[in-house]
Amino acid sequence: MNTSIIRQIFQAKFDYPTYCNEIVHNVFGCNDISTRPELLDTTADGDNSYYIGRQTDADGRELGFFYTRVAQGSDVRRKRVGLRKMIAPYLKYDVDAAIAVFADESHWRLSYICDMKEGVTNAKRFSYILGEEQGQYKTPLERLDTIYAKRGRFVLNDLREAFSVDALSDEFFDEYHIHYDRIVAELARQGKTGAVYHDYVKKLMGRIVFLHFLQKKGWLCGDTNFMLNTFSQSTRRSDYLESEPLFFGILNTEPAKREQVFSRNGWQQSLVVKWANIPYLNGGLFERDDVDNLRIVLPESIFSNLFAFLASYNFTVDENDPDDAEIGSLRAFWRTTRPKAPSTRPRRLCAICARSR
């Protein structure tokens, strides 16, 4: 598989001919592709679903390929459609599983839907969200490469493994702990040792990773690279997180009280307007506590390397019912804090500290 070509496809808006040739045909090995997609259904809100083609796996089970163009103005990162309703047009093709794309004007979901012949109540969906120009897409690239290596010989269980979150966790946490240890070692070099400093690093990294989930959902000013961009624009990158009012002035403060908090702390008032769309998270993660009173200054390289590592993963949040899971680099749930979230926010919030040392 030509990784650079596939990455460019993932970074771009969805293009039907390119997708069919480079992914459906070249990666999955499907030769039965419709010259023109067959329209299956048009929903009341304007979504159009199409049949692309089908192939048989090494065990003789049927895999279908489908495509849905969502209505103009919809955002596939947020649009939630019940799985039963979504796969209803596909069922007439009597396939065991499906590879389906859901695309809007800028982003697209590449989904694997399995157990379809067992009925819609048993079907499950796993998705990668694509279409970010700066996205590295390490996870989907590596996973699809395993399918390409078995081109024409894979079975449906191979697809489920490639689209499953569970296989990614250990790989992510191994590298996560490398960055954790680097920060602990830097603090020890500064003579700052003991449990309180370990607690500081746990909370620091937990906050950073959690915000990477939120930015990928577009909840940080609509900027899916918010953390890296904010860091790059900061004039105090060595103590970036200590000097920014994001945690305590925005994420831990109700919108109506933010101006007052900024004024009291002498923070730049223009940020209240700039960050007005960032949600208030009432759950404890961004409350100031004893470890936040520590004066910590870390080298700029610590943050640069950490953000580069996090940018290489396809962060998403599991906001679905139990049979409809999005793929992230982990499937750990926050054990110490669960923000009280409105219905538009995830019911379960992924995070890191649950497994940090």
Side-chain angles (χ1 to χ4, degrees):
M1 185 178 82
N2 190 321
T3 301
S4 62
I5 290 178
I6 303 302
R7 178 181 286 110
Q8 290 174 18
I9 294 172
F10 286 171
Q11 291 172 333
K13 298 178 182 180
F14 179 74
D15 180 76
Y16 179 80
T18 302
Y19 170 75
C20 287
N21 183 62
E22 297 294 340
I23 296 181
V24 177
H25 175 66
N26 289 343
V27 174
F28 288 97
C30 178
N31 295 314
D32 183 9
I33 301 175
S34 297
T35 304
R36 303 178 70 178
E38 175 187 343
L39 179 63
L40 299 177
D41 183 47
T42 299
T43 65
D45 56 3
D47 294 350
N48 292 323
S49 293
Y50 301 88
Y51 168 77
I52 297 175
R54 66 193 299 160
Q55 72 183 106
T56 303
D57 78 350
D59 287 339
R61 304 181 72 192
E62 295 291 321
L63 175 68
F65 293 87
F66 303 90
Y67 160 51
T68 295
R69 169 63 68 174
V70 302
Q72 187 173 6
S74 296
D75 187 336
V76 296
R77 296 173 300 174
R78 300 182 178 90
K79 185 180 177 74
R80 313 308 305 167
V81 178
L83 187 56
R84 295 169 180 80
K85 178 181 178 182
M86 183 194 68
I87 69 173
Y90 305 168
L91 296 179
K92 75 174 187 176
Y93 285 92
D94 196 32
V95 294
D96 296 279
I99 296 292
V101 166
F102 304 86
D104 60 29
E105 289 90 349
S106 55
H107 296 88
W108 48 295
R109 288 174 178 262
L110 180 63
S111 298
Y112 174 62
I113 306 167
C114 58
D115 302 328
M116 292 174 62
K117 281 189 176 179
E118 297 178 18
V120 292
T121 58
N122 293 316
K124 297 177 179 62
R125 177 175 57 168
F126 307 89
S127 301
Y128 290 112
I129 298 179
L130 309 169
E132 286 296 333
E133 185 177 354
Q134 299 178 32
Q136 294 303 303
Y137 299 118
K138 172 182 177 179
T139 301
L141 286 170
E142 289 181 349
R143 298 300 165 181
L144 286 190
D145 196 43
T146 66
I147 300 303
Y148 176 79
K150 298 180 179 181
R151 193 168 179 264
R153 296 178 289 107
F154 65 78
V155 295
L156 294 188
N157 282 342
D158 294 327
L159 295 183
R160 179 155 185 165
E161 182 176 348
F163 280 78
S164 171
V165 299
D166 295 330
L168 306 176
S169 295
D170 289 340
E171 173 191 326
F172 177 88
F173 279 110
D174 285 346
E175 190 167 355
Y176 169 83
H177 283 305
I178 291 174
H179 290 272
Y180 175 91
D181 290 339
R182 284 175 180 168
I183 299 178
V184 170
E186 171 59 28
L187 292 177
R189 189 189 66 79
Q190 299 177 18
K192 299 172 180 177
T193 60
V196 66
Y197 291 102
H198 284 256
D199 289 342
Y200 172 87
V201 179
K202 287 181 183 181
K203 196 158 194 178
L204 171 66
M205 293 190 67
R207 286 166 169 168
I208 291 174
V209 173
F210 181 79
L211 290 178
H212 274 73
F213 282 96
L214 294 191
Q215 73 178 9
K216 287 303 181 184
K217 302 303 293 182
W219 291 340
L220 300 184
C221 301
D223 183 356
T224 53
N225 290 290
F226 177 88
M227 293 295 288
L228 180 59
N229 290 337
T230 303
F231 170 72
S232 300
Q233 295 163 10
S234 174
T235 58
R236 299 178 62 183
R237 288 192 287 271
S238 289
D239 56 350
Y240 160 68
L241 292 171
E242 298 293 325
S243 63
E244 294 292 339
L246 174 64
F247 289 175
F248 311 124
I250 298 293
L251 293 161
N252 194 54
T253 303
E254 297 177 49
K257 299 178 180 179
R258 288 175 178 175
E259 285 190 15
Q260 179 182 354
V261 171
F262 271 64
S263 178
R264 184 170 64 246
N265 287 278
W267 292 331
Q268 187 178 344
Q269 286 287 335
S270 62
L271 292 175
V272 177
V273 177
K274 182 179 180 180
W275 292 341
N277 293 328
I278 296 179
Y280 161 53
L281 301 179
N282 179 22
L285 177 58
F286 295 99
E287 287 182 8
R288 186 185 292 274
D289 61 20
D290 290 343
V291 299
D292 293 308
N293 295 325
L294 298 173
R295 180 56 183 151
I296 304 294
V297 177
L298 296 169
E300 180 180 337
S301 60
I302 290 284
F303 295 110
S304 297
N305 292 333
L306 177 60
F307 287 152
F309 154 60
L310 294 175
S312 71
Y313 277 83
N314 188 53
F315 279 92
T316 59
V317 178
D318 183 353
E319 62 181 1
N320 307 284
D321 53 52
D323 61 0
D324 184 5
E326 289 182 2
I327 292 174
S329 59
L330 62 145
R331 202 175 189 178
F333 300 110
W334 200 260
R335 293 179 181 171
T336 58
T337 179
R338 283 193 170 92
K340 297 177 182 177
S343 59
T344 56
R345 227 174 281 164
R347 292 196 299 268
R348 296 181 294 175
L349 301 175
C350 298
I352 289 294
C353 283
R355 289 189 57 179
S356 55
R357 291 193 181 104

